[in-house]
C-alpha cells in the first residue's frame, strides 16, 4: 500500500466519487478481482461499478446467483453449464405427469425472478436459446432491453411457426436497438417474418447482425427488401446474401437500390456470400459474373452518404469496378473500411494518376479477396492514395509478388500495423515475411500461410525491373532504425540470396502481439523460425488453423507437428489450435493411414513445453459421423501443460478423459462447447452428458487453487 501513498496522502483519502470513477475505468476482469481483494471498501466499490458479467454456473443452482452486482448492464448467459446440452429454464425430457409439469414451470419462474432481482439494470443480454422458452421467461423481466445476442448451434425446432424463435423477444422489448444473430441458427425466412409481425420493435432496431456461419443459404432479394422496409432506422446491417444469378430472387442492382432507399442512415453495410462465412477456404475459380454492375454500386453509394464501413464479399465476378470505387470516395466521404471479394479492376495502377480504390484516401482498413488482376503496381498506387491504412488484407490475389508487398509496406511504414497475406500463389511464408521487412519493427497483428516451399517460385527471376517507385522504397529502408544491410543486397540477384536470408532470419519483430497461421494438413510448424519469425519478444496470442483431408495425407516424415518450437516466445499466453477443418478416420483407418487419435497426438505433441494461460482447441473431425471428439492421447498431452488456467474444448469427449484435467494444479475454467453446426442433439452414451458435466465441474470447483 506504500505505493499508493503520495506526499502523505493515501488513496483512501480520495472522495468516494473519484474512487468510483477510477474503478469504472478498469475493464480487465482479473484486475478488478485483484482490486476487490485489497480491502472491504474496494470490494464494495468494485461490485458497485461492474457493468459487465458472464455467468458460468449451473442453472439448477439459482441460490448461487451473485446478488452483489446491482449495476450490471451487460449480462451474458450464453455460457451457462452444461453448455448447450439443454435449453435454459427448460428440461430436455418432457414431463410425464401434470404435477411434474407444474413443478418445472415453478422452477423456471423462480430462476427468472432470481435473475431479475440480482440484475435489475440489465440493458444488454446474451443467451443460449435452444427454443423460445428461455426468451419467453426472461424477456418480460427486462422490458427496456436495448441489445440482445442469441446463440444456438443446435437445429431449429421443426414445429415452430416462422419467426417463432424471435417473437417472445420482440414482443416483450419494443425498445430493442441491437439484435445479434451471428451465432444463432435459424431459417432465413424467420427474420423478416418476425420483424413484420412486430413493427414497433423493428422500427426501433438500429443494429442487426445476421452473419451466422451455420447458414447454408443466404437472404434473398425479397427478404432484404422486407428487412429494409420493417427497419428504416438501421445504421448497421450485416447479412449473408444469395448472389448467384442462377437462383431465384438473387441479390442484384435492384436489391442494392432498395436497401439504399429503405435504410438511408446506414453507416455499416456487410453483404457477403454464405460460402465466405465458413471457416474452411473455398475454391474461387468461379468464372460466372454476378448481377451487380457499376451502375448499381454507384446508386448504392449515392443513397448512403453516411457509409463508413462497407463489405461486399461475393463468390461471383464483379468486373470493371474501378470507376464505381472512385465514386465511393466522392459520394461516401466518411468511408474508412472497405472489403471487396471477387472485384476486378479494383486499381489498375497503370499511370501516375490515382484510380479505383486508391482514390479513397480516408481508408484505414482495406481487404481485397480473389482479385485476379491486382498487381504489384496496383498495390503501389493504393499505398500512394490510401496513406492512412493501418490494416490490410490480401487474399487469393495470384499476381501479387514479394516486391509489391515490400513496396507497399515501405510506403505505409508509419501507419500499417495489421496485415494478412493468404492464398497468394507467389507468396509462401518466407517471401511474405521478407516482404514485410520494412514494417517488421512496427507490425502488431500478422497472418500468413505456412507454405514452406514452392518450387515454381524458385524459377522466377529475383531481380525486378526498376520503377519510379523504387527510390521511395530505398529511402524508407535507410530510415529504419536497424537497417544496417548494404543496399546492394536489398534487391539482389540469386548470388546474394544466402547473404540476405542470413541477415533476415535473425531479425526481431519488436511489437508483434498477435500471430495467425494457416497450415495445410500434414505439414509441420518447425520451419517457422527459418522463414523469419525467430524472435517475437512481445507475442502473446497465437491462432493456428489446420485445414485439409488427413485421409489423403501420407504419414508425416516428422513425428511431431512442432508446438514445442513456440516455447521460444517468452510472453505467449493464449493459443487457439483449430483442427476443426482437418478430416480423418474416427474409427479404424485403412492400412498405411492414421486415425484421428494419432493425428491429435501429432498436432498436440510438445504443448507441455509451453507456458500457456488459455487454450482453445478444436479437435479434428470425421464428417461422415459428425464427430469431433477429444481422444485419449490428446487428453494426456493437454494435461501436460500445467500452467493452463482456462481450457475450452470445442467438441465432445468421455467423462473419464475429462478427469485427467483434474491433475492440472492451476486449471480453473474448463468447458466443452459444441459451437459448430449441427451440434449433436443427443450425445453418445459413453460421452459427456448433462450429469457428467455437472460431476466434473463440482469436482473442479471443490479443489484448492494455488493462487
Amino acid at each position: 500500500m506504500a505505493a499508493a501513498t503520495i506526499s502523505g496522502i493515501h488513496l483512501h483519502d480520495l472522495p468516494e466519487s473519484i474512487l468510483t470513477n477510477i474503478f469504472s475505468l478498469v475493464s480487465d476482469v482479473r484486475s478488478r478481482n485483484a482490486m476487490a481483494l485489497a480491502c472491504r471498501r474496494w470490494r464494495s466499490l468494485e461490485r458497485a461499478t461492474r457493468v459487465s458479467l458472464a455467468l458460468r454456473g449451473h442453472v439448477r443452482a439459482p441460490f448461487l446467483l451473485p446478488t452483489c452486482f446491482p449495476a450490471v448492464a451487460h449480462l451474458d448467459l450464453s455460457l451457462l453449464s452444461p453448455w448447450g446440452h439443454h435449453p435454459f429454464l427448460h428440461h430436455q425430457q418432457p414431463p410425464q405427469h401434470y404435477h411434474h409439469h407444474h413443478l418445472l414451470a415453478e422452477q423456471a419462474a423462480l430462476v427468472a425472478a432470481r435473475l431479475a432481482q440480482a440484475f435489475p439494470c440489465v440493458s444488454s443480454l446474451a443467451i443460449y436459446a435452444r427454443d423460445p422458452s428461455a426468451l419467453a421467461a426472461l424477456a418480460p423481466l427486462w422490458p427496456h432491453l436495448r441489445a440482445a445476442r442469441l446463440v444456438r448451434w443446435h437445429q431449429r425446432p421443426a414445429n415452430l411457426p416462422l419467426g417463432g424463435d424471435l417473437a417472445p423477444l420482440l414482443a416483450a422489448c419494443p425498445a430493442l436497438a441491437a439484435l445479434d444473430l451471428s451465432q444463432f441458427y435459424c431459417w432465413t425466412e424467420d427474420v423478416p417474418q418476425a420483424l413484420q409481425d412486430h413493427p414497433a420493435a423493428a422500427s426501433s432496431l438500429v443494429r442487426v447482425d445476421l452473419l451466422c456461419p451455420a447458414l447454408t443459404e443466404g437472404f434473398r432479394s425479397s427478404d432484404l427488401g422486407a428487412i429494409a422496409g420493417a427497419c428504416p432506422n438501421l445504421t448497421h446491417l450485416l447479412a449473408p446474401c444469395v448472389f448467384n444469378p442462377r437462383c431465384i430472387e438473387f441479390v442484384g442492382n435492384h436489391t442494392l437500390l432498395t436497401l439504399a432507399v429503405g435504410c438511408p442512415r446506414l453507416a455499416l453495410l456487410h453483404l457477403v456470400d454464405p460460402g465466405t462465412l465458413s471457416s474452411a477456404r473455398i475454391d474461387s475459380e468461379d468464372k460466372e459474373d454476378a448481377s451487380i454492375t457499376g451502375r448499381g454500386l454507384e446508386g448504392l453509394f449515392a443513397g448512403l452518404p453516411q457509409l463508413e464501413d462497407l463489405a461486399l464479399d461475393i463468390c461471383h465476378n464483379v468486373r470493371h469496378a474501378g470507376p464505381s470505387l472512385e465514386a465511393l470516395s466522392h459520394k461516401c466521404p466518411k468511408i474508412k473500411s472497405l472489403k471487396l471479394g471477387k472485384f476486378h479492376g479494383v486499381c489498375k495502377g497503370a499511370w501516375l494518376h490515382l484510380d479505383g480504390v486508391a482514390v479513397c484516401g480516408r481508408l484505414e482498413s482495406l481487404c481485397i479477396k480473389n482479385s485476379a488482376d491486382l498487381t504489384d503496381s496496383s498495390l503501389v498506387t493504393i499505398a500512394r492514395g490510401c496513406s492512412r491504412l493501418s490494416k490490410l488484407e490480401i487474399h487469393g490475389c495470384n499476381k501479387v509478388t514479394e516486391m509489391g508487398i515490400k513496396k507497399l509496406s515501405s510506403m505505409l511504414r508509419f501507419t500499417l500495423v495489421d496485415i494478412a497475406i493468404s492464398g497468394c500463389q507467389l507468396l509462401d511464408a518466407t517471401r511474405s515475411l521478407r516482404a514485410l521487412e520494412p514494417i517488421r519493427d512496427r507490425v502488431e497483428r500478422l497472418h500468413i500461410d505456412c507454405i514452406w516451399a514452392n518450387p515454381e517460385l524458385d524459377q522466377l527471376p529475383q531481380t525486378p525491373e526498376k520503377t519510379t517507385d523504387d527510390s521511395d522504397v530505398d529511402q524508407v529502408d535507410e530510415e529504419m532504425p536497424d537497417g544496417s544491410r548494404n543496399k546492394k543486397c536489398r534487391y539482389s540477384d540469386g548470388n546474394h540470396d544466402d547473404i540476405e536470408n542470413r541477415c533476415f532470419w535473425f531479425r526481431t519483430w519488436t511489437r508483434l502481439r498477435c500471430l495467425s497461421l494457416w497450415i495445410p494438413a500434414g505439414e509441420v510448424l518447425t520451419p517457422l523460425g527459418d522463414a523469419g519469425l525467430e524472435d517475437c519478444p512481445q507475442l502473446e496470442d497465437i491462432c493456428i488453423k489446420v485445414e485439409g483431408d488427413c485421409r489423403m495425407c501420407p504419414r508425416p516424415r516428422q513425428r511431431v507437428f512442432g508446438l514445442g518450437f513456440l516455447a521460444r516466445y517468452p510472453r505467449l499466453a493464449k493459443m487457439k489450435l483449430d483442427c476443426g477443418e482437418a478430416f480423418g478416420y474416427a474409427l479404424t483407418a485403412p492400412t498405411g493411414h492414421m486415425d484421428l487419435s494419432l493425428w491429435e497426438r501429432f498436432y498436440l505433441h510438445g504443448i507441455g513445453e509451453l507456458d500457456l494461460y488459455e487454450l482453445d482447441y478444436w479437435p479434428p473431425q470425421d464428417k461422415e459421423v459428425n464427430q469431433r471428439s477429444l481422444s485419449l492421447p490428446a487428453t494426456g498431452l493437454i494435461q501436460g501443460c500445467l500452467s493452463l488456467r482456462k481450457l475450452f474444448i470445442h467438441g465432445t469427449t468421455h467423462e473419464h478423459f475429462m478427469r485427467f484435467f483434474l491433475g492440472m494444479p492451476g486449471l480453473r475454467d474448463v468447458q466443452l462447447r459444441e459451437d459448430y453446426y449441427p451440434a449433436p442433439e443427443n450425445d453418445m452414451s459413453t460421452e459427456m452428458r448433462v450429469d457428467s458435466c455437472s460431476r466434473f465441474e463440482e469436482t473442479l470447483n471443490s479443489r484448492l487453487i494455488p493462487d
Side-chain angles (χ1 to χ4, degrees):
M1 302 300 290
T5 303
I6 302 176
S7 302
I9 300 177
H10 198 277
L11 188 60
H12 282 300
D13 298 329
L14 292 175
E16 193 80 9
S17 58
I18 297 180
L19 271 181
T20 301
N21 291 333
I22 293 175
F23 274 70
S24 300
L25 295 174
V26 180
S27 58
D28 182 66
V29 176
R30 287 186 60 82
S31 298
R32 295 185 67 94
N33 292 340
M35 293 163 61
L37 294 175
C39 62
R40 293 183 178 180
R41 185 188 180 198
W42 283 30
R43 183 185 63 181
S44 300
L45 284 173
E46 194 280 325
R47 300 296 189 254
T49 56
R50 182 173 293 201
V51 296
S52 179
L53 187 66
L55 296 182
R56 286 288 312 280
H58 202 294
V59 71
R60 293 187 298 186
F63 59 90
L64 294 179
L65 276 175
T67 58
C68 52
F69 299 100
V72 166
H74 309 283
L75 182 62
D76 188 350
L77 303 177
S78 64
L79 300 177
L80 285 175
S81 291
W83 186 94
H85 278 270
H86 55 79
F88 182 60
L89 303 176
H90 181 73
H91 281 260
Q92 190 170 3
Q93 298 297 331
Q96 302 297 328
H97 305 286
Y98 173 80
H99 181 65
H100 189 198
H101 177 81
H102 184 68
L103 290 178
L104 292 181
E106 288 185 351
Q107 181 187 13
L110 173 62
V111 175
R114 285 284 295 168
L115 284 169
Q117 181 183 14
F119 310 107
C121 301
V122 171
S123 61
S124 175
L125 177 66
I127 185 172
Y128 195 99
R130 192 162 171 178
D131 64 26
S133 63
L135 293 175
L138 289 178
L141 302 178
W142 295 300
H144 302 293
L145 206 64
R146 298 289 295 168
R149 180 172 64 88
L150 307 185
V151 182
R152 180 174 67 194
W153 293 99
H154 290 83
Q155 297 186 24
R156 177 190 185 275
N159 57 349
L160 284 178
L162 288 180
D165 278 318
L166 305 177
L169 175 66
L170 298 179
C173 305
L176 195 66
L179 180 61
D180 186 351
L181 303 180
S182 60
Q183 294 180 301
F184 185 78
Y185 174 75
C186 62
W187 295 345
T188 54
E189 297 88 347
D190 285 324
V191 178
Q193 185 65 48
L195 295 176
Q196 291 174 345
D197 292 344
H198 302 85
S203 61
S204 68
L205 282 174
V206 176
R207 300 168 180 253
V208 175
D209 187 353
L210 307 172
L211 292 181
C212 181
L215 293 178
T216 56
E217 296 183 1
F219 290 87
R220 301 184 181 275
S221 178
S222 59
D223 298 329
L224 290 180
I227 294 174
C231 308
N233 297 317
L234 282 181
T235 61
H236 292 64
L237 176 61
L238 304 90
C241 303
V242 177
F243 291 104
N244 191 343
R246 298 184 180 183
C247 297
I248 300 176
E249 296 188 12
F250 60 86
V251 174
N253 290 340
H254 177 71
T255 310
L256 298 183
L257 296 177
T258 302
L259 280 176
V261 173
C263 305
R265 303 179 183 178
L266 281 175
L268 183 148
L269 178 62
H270 289 191
L271 303 178
V272 305
D273 193 283
T276 63
L277 297 176
S278 172
S279 57
R281 295 192 177 182
I282 61 174
D283 186 9
S284 62
E285 295 299 326
D286 194 343
K287 298 182 180 180
E288 190 172 8
D289 292 348
S291 294
I292 295 178
T293 63
R295 177 178 297 182
L297 292 173
E298 292 181 17
L300 175 69
F301 302 153
L304 301 177
Q306 305 297 322
L307 195 61
E308 300 180 13
D309 189 337
L310 174 64
L312 295 173
D313 197 353
I314 307 173
C315 291
H316 297 77
N317 298 311
V318 179
R319 303 189 184 278
H320 310 295
S324 58
L325 294 177
E326 295 176 11
L328 172 65
S329 175
H330 303 298
K331 297 179 180 180
C332 304
K334 297 182 179 181
I335 191 71
K336 295 181 180 180
S337 177
L338 183 62
K339 181 177 183 179
L340 303 172
K342 295 289 282 187
F343 275 60
H344 305 287
V346 171
C347 179
K348 296 181 179 179
W351 308 100
L352 294 179
H353 69 275
L354 303 178
D355 69 287
V357 73
V359 180
C360 303
R362 298 178 183 85
L363 282 181
E364 299 176 3
S365 174
L366 176 62
C367 173
I368 302 176
K369 299 177 62 178
N370 303 317
S371 181
D373 56 358
L374 190 75
T375 62
D376 291 347
S377 59
S378 303
L379 293 181
V380 173
T381 304
I382 291 174
R384 288 196 294 118
C386 305
S387 58
R388 301 181 183 180
L389 277 183
S390 61
K391 180 179 180 180
L392 177 67
E393 180 179 350
I394 303 294
H395 175 80
C397 301
N398 295 329
K399 291 187 177 180
V400 173
T401 69
E402 174 187 346
M403 185 58 60
I405 298 293
K406 191 166 190 176
K407 290 181 180 180
L408 177 139
S409 59
S410 299
M411 299 172 70
L412 298 176
R413 166 171 165 73
F414 298 104
T415 60
L416 195 60
V417 296
D418 187 344
I419 188 165
I421 305 172
S422 60
C424 301
Q425 292 182 358
L426 302 181
L427 290 169
D428 57 17
T430 301
R431 284 174 168 80
S432 297
L433 293 173
R434 204 160 54 201
L436 300 177
E437 174 69 9
I439 59 172
R440 175 183 41 78
D441 60 334
R442 292 182 176 270
V443 66
E444 298 177 3
R445 303 178 67 91
L446 173 65
H447 171 87
I448 61 169
D449 289 350
C450 294
I451 307 297
W452 305 127
N454 192 338
E456 297 179 359
L457 294 181
D458 296 335
Q459 300 175 5
L460 296 177
Q462 298 296 319
T463 304
E465 183 179 356
K466 193 77 171 179
T467 65
T468 56
D469 297 294
D470 288 344
S471 59
D472 297 335
V473 177
D474 293 339
Q475 182 178 359
V476 175
D477 282 346
E478 291 176 355
E479 295 174 357
M480 294 178 58
D482 54 354
S484 58
R485 287 183 295 166
N486 191 336
K487 190 181 296 184
K488 292 183 180 180
C489 71
R490 187 165 287 124
Y491 301 136
S492 60
D493 53 18
N495 297 330
H496 297 85
D497 279 348
D498 293 339
I499 299 176
E500 183 172 358
N501 289 338
R502 284 197 298 269
C503 295
F504 174 69
W505 283 347
F506 297 100
R507 295 300 179 90
T508 300
W509 297 75
T510 311
R511 300 184 182 179
L512 184 63
R513 289 180 172 83
C514 299
L515 176 63
S516 175
L517 305 173
W518 180 90
I519 186 167
E523 292 289 341
V524 295
L525 192 63
T526 47
L528 189 62
D530 293 339
L533 282 173
E534 177 72 22
D535 188 10
C536 304
Q538 300 298 323
L539 185 63
E540 301 173 351
D541 192 347
I542 189 169
C543 177
I544 303 175
K545 172 75 174 180
V546 180
E547 182 179 342
D549 194 343
C550 298
R551 297 171 298 185
M552 307 300 294
C553 297
R555 288 180 176 268
R557 295 181 181 179
Q558 299 186 22
R559 299 182 60 184
V560 297
F561 177 58
L563 286 184
F565 167 83
L566 303 178
R568 67 189 62 200
Y569 304 139
R571 301 192 62 178
L572 184 62
K574 297 182 180 180
M575 183 168 72
K576 294 181 180 179
L577 180 57
D578 187 355
C579 301
E581 294 299 331
F583 312 129
Y585 299 101
L587 305 177
T588 304
T591 304
H593 294 78
M594 301 194 306
D595 58 22
L596 289 183
S597 63
L598 294 179
W599 279 111
E600 284 196 280
R601 176 181 295 176
F602 169 76
Y603 282 114
L604 287 169
H605 191 280
I607 195 172
E609 303 174 24
L610 307 181
D611 190 19
L612 294 178
Y613 174 84
E614 181 177 335
L615 173 65
D616 281 78
Y617 176 61
W618 287 259
Q621 63 168 312
D622 188 337
K623 274 192 170 183
E624 296 182 358
V625 296
N626 189 29
Q627 180 177 349
R628 306 189 190 201
S629 182
L630 193 69
S631 65
L632 178 60
T635 306
L637 291 170
I638 293 176
Q639 182 196 10
C641 189
L642 301 180
S643 60
L644 272 182
R645 180 87 175 189
K646 298 183 179 182
L647 173 61
F648 305 115
I649 306 296
H650 301 263
T652 63
T653 189
H654 303 282
E655 180 178 2
H656 57 285
F657 289 177
M658 291 290 289
R659 300 192 71 85
F660 278 60
F661 299 141
L662 298 175
M664 305 169 70
L667 194 61
R668 184 68 182 88
D669 197 358
V670 184
Q671 194 169 43
L672 293 177
R673 299 175 182 173
E674 299 166 348
D675 48 357
Y676 51 88
Y677 181 80
E681 291 290 340
N682 297 301
D683 290 332
M684 299 181 182
S685 60
T686 58
E687 292 191 340
M688 293 291 286
R689 293 163 295 180
V690 174
D691 294 336
S692 304
C693 291
S694 301
R695 286 193 296 267
F696 171 78
E697 290 177 354
E698 289 175 1
T699 307
L700 180 69
N701 295 333
S702 64
R703 301 184 312 157
L704 293 177
I705 304 299
D707 58 351

